[in-house]
């Protein structure tokens, strides 16, 4: 990498299952942008609040974005709340 190149902030894809849907959608979205690689970090099988806390902590430290497909309403609520509190952009891909 050249000294003047900027490293892109990572995109975390958080899922309560394998994460294939979220990863596929994230890759499709990122393909629309030319230039530079964006690190895509898959975080599958998120089933505990502590896992959500950890991914939000990592996203905050790396100035990352969190895309999620969490079906569990409680975990989804925790993720959205923590992301908002830590000024981390989060996007619910599952609606």
């Amino acid at each position: 990498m050249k000294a003047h190149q900027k490293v892109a902030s990572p995109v975390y894809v958080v899922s309560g299952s394998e994460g294939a849907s979220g990863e596929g959608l994230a890759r499709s979205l990122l393909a629309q942008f030319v230039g530079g690689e964006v690190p895509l970090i898959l975080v599958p099988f998120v089933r505990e609040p502590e896992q959500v806390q950890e991914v939000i902590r990592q996203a905050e430290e790396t100035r990352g974005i969190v895309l999620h497909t969490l079906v569990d309403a409680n975990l989804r609520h925790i993720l959205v709340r923590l992301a908002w509190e830590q000024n981390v952009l989060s996007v619910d891909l599952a609606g």
Side-chain angles (χ1 to χ4, degrees):
M1 177 185 336
K2 296 179 183 174
H4 68 280
Q5 285 182 318
K6 197 172 172 182
V7 176
S9 297
V11 173
Y12 296 83
V13 179
V14 179
S15 175
S17 189
E18 291 181 10
S21 297
E23 181 182 18
L25 184 53
R27 288 193 187 285
S28 294
L29 292 170
L30 292 173
Q32 305 301 310
F33 300 95
V34 177
E37 289 289 315
V38 176
L40 189 63
I41 301 169
L42 182 61
V43 187
F45 303 109
V46 173
R47 304 230 168 94
E48 300 295 331
E50 295 79 16
Q51 293 172 286
V52 172
Q53 292 169 343
E54 178 61 18
V55 75
I56 295 298
R57 184 193 65 74
Q58 289 178 15
E60 180 190 20
E61 286 181 2
T62 61
R63 300 181 58 95
I65 297 170
V66 176
L67 306 179
H68 59 96
T69 59
L70 294 172
V71 175
D72 182 298
N74 184 52
L75 289 178
R76 188 171 58 244
H77 174 76
I78 291 169
L79 186 146
V80 169
R81 180 180 52 83
L82 290 174
W84 182 81
E85 289 173 356
Q86 299 301 318
N87 294 315
V88 171
L89 176 61
S90 70
V91 179
D92 184 352
L93 298 177

